[in-house]
Amino acid sequence: MATVAQGKVWMPAVFGDGMVLQRESNVKLWGTTDINKVVKVTTSWNDKTYLVKADKKGKWQVAVTTPEAGGPYDVTVSDGEDVVFSDVLIGEVWLCAGQSNMEMPMKGFPSQPIDNGNIDVLHSGDPQLRLLTSKRTSRVEPIDTVYGKWANAVPETVREFSATAYYFGRELRRMLNVPVGLIVTAWGGSSCESWIDREHVKDFVTAKSPYQIPYKPSDIKSPNRQPTVLFNGMLNPIIGYGIRGAIWYQGEDNIPRYQDYAQQMKTMVSLWREKWDIGEFPFFYCQIAPYDYSLINWTVNSALLREQQFMAEKEIPTSGMAVLLDAGIEYGIHPPQKNIAGERLAILALAKTYGVKGVNAESARYKSMEVKDGSVILSFENDKMNLYCKNSAFTSKYFEIAGEDRVFYPAKVELYKRKFLKISSPDVPDPVAVRYAFKDWVVGDIFCDNLPISSFRTDSWPVPERVIEKEKKEYDR
């Protein structure tokens, strides 16, 4: 990696040998030098030189024009002494953020492997796929540089790299045939609040919040859950680096505070887009996978958080949600099927961002209900290939139906007029509400075009918390 000795221009570590710059764009380069000094940036793909003068604090920033995908190239930055970044590729760059299910590496966590991880690592060598992982960093105030460096995708580096991000990037490489750069900034157990700046997170922090906004280092009681700390320590040093879009896998930590999660996500994405100042860049995210949260003594039904994520997709423009209702694990919060998560995110990006035709990227969504002759008829959006049950016949065990007494009973489900679902139960002659897979742990079995539908409910009734009588356990990721 290019090193900057004292006296030379300084640039944050997100810039380095082997980096990928976003193609056909005006990408920003920035750093510091002596006050009022002129910095010269030369790009070898067009032999063009850009001049910029440092401000009264020694800071400078310049935008350089990038060509079509290709490389390797050099970028030379000089304030009298040259700093040369070599082996620079031009391609597609994606930010990959979240908590442990984004952070979980291809080698897995102890006693928690990745499905097919070892063989996929073995075959992972790709000089056109470049990886950067930002080291866990928690701060009260924004800092300027990440702790990490760019690396080529080889088994040794891929083994330590985010599995969800790797599978995402691998599919982009296969389909686009251009260099791909992935920047991972994730910390297990992190809250959504931790990835939002101080100004915008205030609306989501009350006196009853488990963690308050820190104003000095001693205020940090949790380095990954405290509001603002990961925005300051891990995201701020990357903001402005040229990207095509972002992928996100987070939400488990917010289950106890699910009520405003959709609004938090919307606020976070709006903030990131405002800070990057490149328009409404694509934002694709995973709906959290099923898991029995009673095992860690959580009292809130995680389907309520999945519901918020379902709602957020409508609230956030240029976004998409990868449904993982069939890709959880009952006794583990870190599902091993990270290939499913990464590939579904990649399909969203390929179809919605890159315009790849012939593939359906979006799960069918519950749209509306109608009561007819003692049954409920459910209609769906994006159900072009019609719904089907994974169990060959419509024998789904996850539908429930209730009348005005709000007592839910197991329900029979039938395909109705090829496009609708008909839900009924002899115990509920006058139904008013239906729920599907509205529990912590399920294995989603209703699909459309090979994608599972999300859990959903037609009602908005309060969902009581469960009573936990076991010894308290801690959630540590």
Side-chain angles (χ1 to χ4, degrees), residues 329-377:
I329 180 170
E330 183 175 5
Y331 299 108
I333 201 168
H334 304 119
Q337 308 99 312
K338 290 296 184 285
N339 59 317
I340 294 177
E343 288 165 4
R344 285 182 183 163
L345 288 168
I347 293 172
L348 282 165
L350 289 165
K352 300 187 72 171
T353 300
Y354 298 106
V356 173
K357 305 297 184 183
V359 62
N360 178 39
E362 298 178 285
S363 292
R365 293 173 58 98
Y366 164 72
K367 181 181 180 181
S368 61
M369 64 167 279
E370 175 188 0
V371 177
K372 186 175 183 179
D373 299 328
S375 298
V376 174
I377 309 300

Side-chain angles (χ1 to χ4, degrees), residues 91-359:
E92 291 297 298
V93 183
W94 285 79
L95 177 71
C96 314
Q99 60 178 111
S100 56
N101 277 309
M102 179 61 79
E103 185 181 37
M104 190 177 189
M106 287 292 290
K107 68 181 181 182
F109 291 136
S111 301
Q112 301 175 74
I114 298 293
D115 281 358
N116 302 310
N118 218 29
I119 196 70
D120 286 340
V121 165
L122 181 65
H123 295 289
S124 64
D126 183 352
Q128 299 281 292
L129 178 60
R130 304 291 174 84
L131 318 171
L132 187 152
T133 301
S134 175
K135 182 181 177 181
R136 292 177 168 187
T137 308
S138 179
R139 294 289 186 272
V140 171
E141 300 293 341
I143 61 174
D144 294 329
T145 190
V146 297
Y147 297 93
K149 63 180 182 178
W150 286 97
N152 286 6
V154 296
E156 185 178 11
T157 58
V158 170
R159 175 177 167 80
E160 305 295 330
F161 191 72
S162 160
T164 297
Y166 170 71
Y167 287 117
F168 171 81
R170 187 180 73 173
E171 293 307 307
L172 264 56
R173 281 282 300 126
R174 288 174 173 175
M175 289 300 300
L176 301 177
N177 196 30
V178 300
V180 171
L182 303 174
I183 301 173
V184 170
T185 178
W187 189 329
S190 60
S191 65
C192 186
E193 296 94 325
S194 69
W195 297 99
I196 303 174
D197 72 2
R198 190 174 292 163
E199 177 184 353
H200 292 82
V201 83
K202 289 179 179 178
D203 290 342
F204 306 108
V205 181
T206 69
K208 294 183 179 180
S209 298
Y211 299 104
Q212 299 297 307
I213 300 171
Y215 291 89
K216 56 185 184 298
S218 61
D219 290 340
I220 298 180
K221 309 304 178 184
S222 173
N224 55 337
R225 293 179 171 91
Q226 207 99 7
T228 78
V229 292
L230 302 188
F231 176 90
N232 295 330
M234 298 179 70
L235 194 73
N236 191 72
I238 299 167
I239 289 175
Y241 190 90
I243 60 172
R244 173 67 71 188
I247 59 173
W248 172 253
Y249 195 159
Q250 191 277 338
E252 295 90 345
D253 190 72
N254 282 79
I255 290 170
R257 308 177 303 285
Y258 70 89
Q259 293 90 343
D260 59 6
Y261 187 77
Q263 189 59 44
Q264 277 198 49
M265 279 189 66
K266 182 179 180 181
T267 298
M268 183 191 76
V269 175
S270 296
L271 167 66
W272 291 10
R273 288 171 172 170
E274 174 189 333
K275 293 290 186 179
W276 251 275
D277 194 25
I278 54 173
E280 287 184 348
F281 60 74
F283 182 86
F284 303 120
Y285 62 97
C286 288
Q287 186 182 51
I288 61 170
Y291 161 64
D292 184 358
Y293 284 87
S294 70
L295 296 172
I296 54 173
N297 299 341
W298 282 14
T299 61
V300 175
N301 182 351
S302 60
L304 292 164
L305 193 283
R306 296 198 301 265
E307 181 179 58
Q308 289 282 312
Q309 292 177 312
F310 180 91
M311 295 162 55
E313 188 177 24
K314 290 287 190 181
E315 291 290 321
I316 301 171
T318 322
S319 71
M321 182 178 73
V323 178
L324 301 181
L325 205 66
D326 60 330
I329 180 170
E330 183 175 5
Y331 299 108
I333 201 168
H334 304 119
Q337 308 99 312
K338 290 296 184 285
N339 59 317
I340 294 177
E343 288 165 4
R344 285 182 183 163
L345 288 168
I347 293 172
L348 282 165
L350 289 165
K352 300 187 72 171
T353 300
Y354 298 106
V356 173
K357 305 297 184 183
V359 62

